[in-house]
Amino acid sequence: MTVTPIPPFDLSEQFKLIGDEINQAALAVLGSGRYIGGATVEKFEQEFAAYHGMAEGIGCNSGTDALFLALRALEIGPGDEVITTPFTFFATAEMISATGATPVFVDIDASFNLDPSKIAAAITPRTKAIMPVHLFGRSADMTQIMAIAEAHNLAVVEDCAQAAGTEWQSKKVGSMGQIGCFSFYPTKNLGTCGDGGAMTTNDPEIAQRLRILRDHGRTETYRHEYLGLNSRLDGIQAAILSVKLPYLDQWIAQRCRIADRYHTLLAAVPGIVLPQTVDGISWNQFTIRIGNGLRDQVRDRLRELGVITMVYYPIPMHLQPVYAGLGYQVGQLPQAEAAAQEVLSLPMFPEMSEAQQDQVVKTLKTVLGELAAG
Ligand SMILES: Cc1ncc(COP(=O)(O)O)c(C=O)c1O
């Protein structure tokens, strides 16, 4: 009997459910003849800001650009330092470097996020901001991070790329720091049908600067006061996002049900550590840990048996070849390094069926059993 492989995520299932709405919205933009900017983009920006209880939402081309634009709007650049996590997607660190500033990596804790107890020791006279990442849909400890930032007069830029709809003590991520940065990459909690991103802020001056920076730094036609980017959210993506935003909470509830079921079905399985569950988590990923150097063997065998998993992320930022010049050593950020060797993200998407999940669980148990038997 051939088994249909279980993918890590399946976007086609969602399209089957809301494809008609998406097609209509996209066709309306095509028919309007206004493809960049305009009412469709402004409508989504307002809806996205309102969803977060924020004054301003500013669309842009990607989550990567959102991080760059946010740092530039705060006038962060050469000579400055930005504290962030070493356990993230590369764009977080990359965009700090792209401004000319230096990323300063602080180790994580069991939440996979920045360990707030280690931040203060990393602050120097050059530190300008803290950039927490809400990894896998779990908020970083924003109470402690905001308190440290206020005490040291630092800005906070939240990397919410993986966490749209996540809450920290009933507040949405992206509503606590000076600027929240979001990605609408298709597999995110709120994903579009291409690239897209947005920033949220309550500060009208910052919002104004973000709008200028995303449009070549121009203050009026062909008058450029800053060096910016071409980073506009296009009309078709904005229209699709307006269709999808009202579903976001429902999709997160579905992710939570799947995560609860993984917790129940995998609770007694030896050889794995399950992710912590906390209020407000949105489960963009369900990431287990497999120690004793067995993670890659488990992943390969799962693939052979038709379960495709992901490793986010195998190399922490401080050990990336491009950052060799920053002088970090192996062993310096041990929690991030251990996570990089142990994490395995199981298939997780809102439309995942119980039968698919049962197959993942059964296959994982088989593989772990095989390894335990030697
Ligand atoms: C934590 C994090 N930051 C930033 C980004 C960049 O977002 P985008 O792919 O939209 O540029 C991602 C995307 O994967 C991410 O996971």
Side-chain angles (χ1 to χ4, degrees):
M1 191 184 79
T2 49
V3 182
T4 313
I6 313 286
F9 38 76
D10 185 349
L11 301 167
S12 65
E13 283 303 312
Q14 193 181 81
F15 192 75
K16 278 181 207 153
L17 295 172
I18 59 165
D20 286 348
E21 282 182 82
I22 289 180
N23 285 338
Q24 264 179 25
L27 285 171
V29 176
L30 288 177
S32 76
R34 181 81 195 258
Y35 306 137
I36 301 280
T40 320
V41 174
E42 282 162 24
K43 176 173 174 288
F44 171 69
E45 288 179 333
Q46 283 161 16
E47 291 164 351
F48 194 67
Y51 175 82
H52 291 87
M54 297 294 279
E56 306 269 3
I58 302 100
C60 65
N61 211 16
S62 67
T64 302
D65 284 4
L67 295 169
F68 179 76
L69 294 166
L71 293 167
R72 288 294 305 278
L74 295 169
E75 297 179 354
I76 288 167
D80 297 333
E81 292 176 353
V82 178
I83 291 174
T84 193
T85 166
F87 194 57
T88 180
F89 178 61
F90 183 58
T92 314
E94 182 186 31
M95 289 304 105
I96 294 170
S97 302
T99 67
T102 303
V104 173
F105 301 111
V106 166
D107 211 356
I108 58 169
D109 59 23
S111 71
F112 293 124
N113 285 324
L114 265 181
D115 181 344
S117 72
K118 302 212 169 90
I119 293 175
I123 296 173
T124 75
R126 288 183 296 282
T127 310
K128 287 285 157 28
I130 306 174
M131 194 188 268
V133 178
H134 307 301
L135 202 72
F136 303 151
R138 176 173 178 174
S139 177
D141 183 335
M142 290 306 289
T143 309
Q144 291 200 59
I145 290 171
M146 293 309 295
I148 296 164
E150 273 158 37
H152 293 86
N153 200 22
L154 304 175
V156 173
V157 175
E158 295 177 67
D159 183 340
C160 311
Q162 301 186 9
T166 298
E167 292 183 356
W168 172 256
Q169 296 179 349
S170 304
K171 290 197 194 103
K172 291 262 181 312
V173 298
S175 71
M176 292 169 275
Q178 273 70 36
I179 308 176
C181 298
F182 292 83
S183 164
F184 303 129
Y185 184 81
T187 59
K188 303 302 193 213
N189 289 348
L190 179 65
T192 189
C193 300
D195 272 311
M199 297 145 293
T200 46
T201 184
N202 270 333
D203 183 325
E205 266 177 48
I206 290 178
Q208 169 74 355
R209 220 172 297 147
L210 289 169
R211 289 200 172 91
I212 291 169
L213 285 168
R214 75 170 169 183
D215 194 13
H216 298 292
R218 75 175 135 211
T219 45
E220 51 191 84
T221 309
Y222 301 126
R223 180 187 163 84
H224 302 268
E225 287 198 22
Y226 308 94
L227 295 174
L229 292 177
N230 170 5
S231 184
R232 300 169 297 226
L233 181 64
D234 71 66
I236 290 183
Q237 302 308 337
I240 291 168
L241 287 162
S242 280
V243 169
K244 287 189 161 198
L245 183 59
Y247 292 99
L248 177 57
D249 289 345
Q250 175 192 320
W251 289 332
I252 290 174
Q254 286 168 230
R255 288 177 181 277
C256 289
R257 272 200 294 282
I258 294 165
D260 285 351
R261 202 158 173 273
Y262 267 139
H263 271 113
T264 307
L265 297 173
L266 293 171
V269 177
I272 58 173
V273 177
L274 297 176
Q276 299 169 340
T277 180
V278 291
D279 286 347
I281 192 168
S282 67
W283 295 111
N284 182 249
Q285 300 295 334
F286 189 90
T287 303
I288 64 171
R289 298 179 76 136
I290 300 174
N292 301 323
L294 293 174
R295 190 266 318 275
D296 292 342
Q297 264 172 276
V298 172
R299 185 179 188 211
D300 291 348
R301 187 74 182 118
L302 282 170
R303 189 188 295 116
E304 281 170 15
L305 297 176
V307 173
I308 317 299
T309 57
M310 303 296 282
V311 173
Y312 305 115
Y313 296 93
I315 307 175
M317 295 305 106
H318 65 293
L319 301 181
Q320 289 290 346
V322 70
Y323 284 135
L326 293 181
Y328 289 89
Q329 306 297 321
V330 174
Q332 197 170 337
L333 301 174
Q335 301 303 328
E337 291 168 35
Q341 285 173 17
E342 295 177 3
V343 286
L344 190 71
S345 295
L346 301 183
M348 164 60 85
F349 47 96
E351 299 77 19
M352 189 178 184
S353 69
E354 291 198 353
Q356 285 176 311
Q357 199 179 12
D358 289 342
Q359 193 179 324
V360 173
V361 169
K362 187 168 147 234
T363 313
L364 181 59
K365 285 181 179 171
T366 303
V367 169
L368 293 167
E370 281 174 8
L371 284 171

